[in-house]
Amino acid sequence: MARPLLPPPQLNDAPLAPGLYVVATPIGNLRDITLRALDVLAAADLVLAEDTRVSGKLLSAFGLKARLERHDEHAAERARPKAMAVLAEGGRVALISDAGTPLISDPGYRLVREAAAAGHAVYPIPGASAVLAGLSVAGLPTDRFLFAGFPPPKSAARRAFLEELAGMRATLVFFEGGSRLAASLADMAAVLGERDTVVCRELTKLHETVVRAPLSVLAADPQFAAPKGEIVVLVAPGRETAATAADADAALRDALGRLRPAEAAAEVAKALGLPRRDLYRRAMELKR
């Protein structure tokens, strides 16, 4: 028997300052909503929502009512002037997405930019994020990561997109739809090579699944042929390869066109991880 939701907490009755509030909402489990997000949604004069039906259910679950306006990639141009008018009158506007933190693979940055340019305060209301949730359970390096969003739908464009990311010394984070997951994993394996990879599906929901394996294994796994639900794919950084003498010479020649030999050697040493003394000696030879 499902456990009922706890009654909504008592909201903060302190006045909400005018401005634009970028509000994170749960990525699945409604109990991941923050108390501050509820305060903002209860007091906002206008709530911009990616899908008003989805957001309406969220508000209803917590006993809240709000003036909702659709704000997705098709409606953003129409919704933005309305939001700016509310802000100009000293009102409070909340921007939310269907799930997670707004602006992460969602429209909204233009509204934030325009509001800030007009002198309105913009407040982050942090909370759930599929990107961070995936990173937290993947077991991959997190000191440096790159969120790359959704790969292109066609294989040729997707492979070109992946080629640009292949040399990144960072954990790569992607969103992907179930119908394209198998093809994306296959292209990742072909372009990025064998790397530790994690596929997260339905994070925080009833059927949450986290699978860790090499890319080639995941690409061949039948459970990823056409899975349902929201999917995050995380790929470990590629192995670092040592720079060759040709790489060093090419970098030195470029640097010598702008810098003195000692400075050129220092720049290339930092970029390629090679001994500065050897590079200085080589820089003097190239200079002559």
Side-chain angles (χ1 to χ4, degrees):
M1 181 176 178
R3 186 172 59 181
L5 281 173
L6 293 175
Q10 184 174 350
L11 298 177
N12 185 345
D13 58 3
L16 188 67
L20 173 63
Y21 292 79
V22 183
V23 183
T25 57
I27 61 175
N29 193 317
L30 291 184
R31 294 173 69 84
D32 289 336
I33 192 78
T34 70
L35 299 181
R36 192 171 175 220
L38 293 175
D39 289 339
V40 171
L41 293 175
D45 300 298
L46 173 65
V47 176
L48 299 179
E50 187 178 0
D51 187 323
T52 55
R53 295 166 298 179
V54 173
S55 298
K57 292 177 182 177
L58 172 68
L59 294 173
S60 177
F62 292 100
L64 302 178
K65 294 182 180 180
R67 174 189 166 194
L68 285 171
E69 185 79 33
R70 184 182 172 200
H71 184 275
D72 59 12
E73 60 182 334
H74 305 293
E77 294 299 319
R78 296 193 303 273
R80 195 159 62 245
K82 298 178 183 179
M84 293 301 296
V86 172
L87 293 172
E89 295 171 358
R92 293 78 54 91
V93 176
L95 173 66
I96 62 177
S97 66
D98 283 353
T101 301
L103 277 69
I104 309 300
S105 274
D106 288 321
Y109 82 90
R110 289 186 178 87
L111 173 60
V112 171
R113 183 174 62 189
E114 190 170 333
H120 302 300
V122 180
Y123 302 100
I125 309 299
S129 164
V131 174
L132 298 181
L135 282 166
S136 71
V137 299
L140 298 177
T142 55
D143 56 328
R144 182 184 300 175
F145 65 88
L146 173 70
F147 173 60
F150 284 92
K154 301 294 185 181
S155 182
R158 186 164 54 232
R159 290 197 174 206
F161 167 78
L162 293 168
E163 288 282 2
E164 295 179 2
L165 303 175
M168 293 293 299
R169 298 292 302 152
T171 293
L172 304 177
V173 185
F174 305 92
F175 287 166
E176 189 52 285
S179 63
R180 294 201 298 264
L181 180 60
S184 276
L185 290 172
D187 284 341
M188 288 177 191
V191 174
L192 302 177
E194 196 67 294
R195 303 190 190 187
D196 290 337
T197 302
V198 181
V199 174
C200 302
R201 188 179 69 86
E202 296 287 84
L203 286 170
T204 79
K205 299 178 184 177
L206 180 62
H207 300 292
E208 177 178 278
T209 306
V210 179
V211 181
R212 305 171 181 86
L215 247 177
S216 62
V217 174
L218 294 175
D221 193 327
Q223 72 174 305
F224 298 132
K228 295 180 180 179
E230 304 294 329
I231 297 161
V232 183
V233 179
L234 303 101
V235 182
R239 293 184 178 85
E240 194 166 5
T241 56
T244 65
D247 293 332
D249 278 3
L252 281 171
R253 287 191 177 94
D254 175 70
L256 286 168
R258 301 175 280 105
L259 304 169
R260 292 177 296 183
E263 295 168 334
E267 179 182 287
V268 175
K270 184 177 180 180
L272 302 184
L274 297 174
R276 179 177 175 179
R277 181 180 299 178
D278 295 345
L279 289 168
Y280 176 71
R281 192 179 302 120
R282 181 58 177 159
M284 293 301 294
E285 292 174 0
L286 292 172
K287 192 74 172 176
R288 288 195 293 269

